[in-house]
Amino acid sequence: MVVFIVRRLLYMILTLFIISIVSFVMIQAPPGDALTAEIQRLRSIGNNVSQDQIDALKTRYGLDDPVMVKYGKWIGGFMKGDFGQSFTYRQPVGDLIWGRLGLSVMLAGGALIIAWLIAIPIGVYSATHRYSLPDYLITLFQFIGVAVPEFLLALVVLVFAARFLGSDVGGLFSAQYQDAPWSGAKFVDFLKHVWIPLVVISASSTAWLTRVMRANLLDVLNQQYVQTARAKGVLERRVIWKHATRNAVHPLIMALGTTLPVLISGEAIVSIVLNLPTTGPLYLQALLNQDMYLAATLLMFLSMLLILGNLLADIALAWVDPRARSAE
């Protein structure tokens, strides 16, 4: 198992190195830069920026350096924990992303836990009550959950919470707790707000995972070893939960690596609609403003989450099914 994990970690390092080069070059590919956009904005409001000032700023931020020189400066600082300076916000990138990244991971992780806690039991129930009225209703909600766009669901839940529940929607805190230090009252206020993005982000994944769980379990229930366990008189509940479900959950574990980035991308869309202080809106603005250090750093962290999700999925699958280790 140790050799398996070490091998996966080495793959992670190589993959991240390739991602860092490709992502940085792609961000630099469009014409223009953040400084050009800022100069145009200043001139549009009547501020006169001389060419000498422009040249001094380009020299200061190294905007005229070759792409690989810029990459070398950025990746060298990245490995030391210095992610560079944001041109748009005029702040260190680290100060901008740490709090937002924590909220993004919390929302994505919470949505993932909710999706699994709901999908597995409902998928098992749907498979063991095939073609019943509850199964048809579950299937209907599965298709709705997969088909409805997250931004539309966010708007629907937003209106429902505001009109029928009287909730203070938008953001993760009420106005009086926005800049207040953490306390019991602020945590309660946080819980009153966070359920809306969690429901919206987890809805699509829950519907999809439920469908996958149902289909996998139906296949497993027809396996010979399940029929043998039943013939030996093993309780049906034990057959379902101990023998069948444990093997049916393998594809869900393998999907963990792709589910996490899907949730994070869904979090970005929902955050824009619900005005949440997470990485999604910040990353969008960094790309629009061509803020290369901020955009590249956020992309690297999101890529690290994707690879980490795949690593956790591989380790979990190897733990549940030792054959995955021997397959290496």
Side-chain angles (χ1 to χ4, degrees):
M1 190 69 174
V2 174
V3 175
F4 176 82
I5 295 175
V6 170
R7 187 184 296 116
R8 289 297 182 184
L9 289 174
L10 292 176
Y11 290 158
M12 283 179 57
I13 295 173
L14 177 60
T15 305
L16 284 174
F17 175 69
I18 296 173
I19 289 174
S20 68
I21 296 176
V22 174
S23 61
F24 196 87
V25 172
M26 288 181 63
I27 291 171
Q28 288 289 299
D33 50 52
L35 181 59
T36 303
E38 178 65 14
I39 291 170
Q40 291 176 349
R41 187 189 68 83
L42 291 174
R43 286 177 173 172
S44 67
I45 60 176
N47 290 341
N48 185 25
V49 182
S50 66
Q51 187 60 43
D52 291 338
Q53 291 175 310
I54 295 174
D55 293 339
L57 288 172
K58 286 184 176 181
T59 302
R60 176 183 175 186
Y61 291 111
L63 296 179
D64 289 331
D65 293 338
V67 173
M68 296 314 297
V69 174
K70 296 178 184 176
Y71 169 79
K73 292 179 180 179
W74 170 71
I75 198 64
F78 188 93
M79 296 175 66
K80 299 175 183 177
D82 180 10
F83 310 127
Q85 190 85 3
S86 168
F87 303 129
T88 305
Y89 297 94
R90 294 183 178 84
Q91 295 181 36
V93 171
D95 295 345
L96 288 170
I97 67 172
W98 282 126
R100 291 173 177 264
L101 188 65
L103 288 174
S104 293
V105 172
M106 183 274 297
L107 287 175
L112 183 63
I113 293 172
I114 291 173
W116 273 59
L117 290 178
I118 296 175
I120 292 178
I122 291 182
V124 170
Y125 180 87
S126 181
T128 54
H129 296 76
R130 185 170 47 165
Y131 303 139
S132 64
L133 178 60
D135 181 38
Y136 288 131
L137 292 176
I138 291 171
T139 302
L140 174 64
F141 283 110
Q142 287 170 352
F143 286 133
I144 294 175
V146 172
V148 175
E150 288 174 324
F151 74 89
L152 180 59
L153 182 60
L155 292 173
V156 172
V157 175
L158 200 67
V159 172
F160 176 81
R163 178 168 297 183
F164 297 102
L165 302 180
S167 300
D168 182 13
V169 297
L172 292 175
F173 302 100
S174 300
Q176 63 268 32
Y177 293 109
Q178 285 286 350
D179 300 318
W182 278 99
S183 62
K186 184 173 182 177
F187 181 72
V188 171
D189 182 74
F190 172 74
L191 293 179
K192 291 179 180 179
H193 288 77
V194 76
W195 71 269
I196 296 178
L198 284 178
V199 167
V200 176
I201 296 170
S202 63
S204 178
S205 295
T206 302
W208 178 73
L209 290 174
T210 304
R211 194 70 184 167
V212 172
M213 186 66 199
R214 178 185 185 275
N216 293 337
L217 188 58
L218 286 174
D219 289 338
V220 172
L221 288 175
N222 292 323
Q223 297 293 324
Q224 189 63 44
Y225 74 92
V226 176
Q227 304 301 328
T228 303
R230 284 171 171 165
K232 288 182 177 181
V234 179
L235 292 175
E236 183 67 14
R237 181 174 61 183
R238 187 177 180 86
V239 171
I240 296 297
W241 288 102
K242 182 176 181 180
H243 299 287
T245 302
R246 182 171 182 177
N247 287 317
V249 82
H250 286 185
L252 271 72
I253 296 175
M254 289 187 291
L256 176 64
T258 56
T259 303
L260 186 59
V262 168
L263 289 172
I264 292 176
S265 63
E267 172 272 321
I269 298 172
V270 173
S271 295
I272 294 172
V273 176
L274 299 180
N275 190 30
L276 304 180
T278 59
T279 56
L282 185 66
Y283 184 46
L284 176 61
Q285 289 300 317
L287 291 176
L288 292 175
N289 296 327
Q290 295 181 294
D291 197 339
M292 59 180 181
Y293 292 141
L294 179 57
T297 301
L298 284 170
L299 185 56
M300 274 295 291
F301 275 111
L302 294 177
S303 301
M304 289 170 64
L305 289 175
L306 168 60
I307 297 174
L308 180 62
N310 279 283
L311 175 65
L312 294 177
D314 290 338
I315 293 175
L317 185 61
W319 177 68
V320 173
D321 187 357
R323 292 174 298 178
R325 280 175 268 170
S326 60
E328 288 287 314

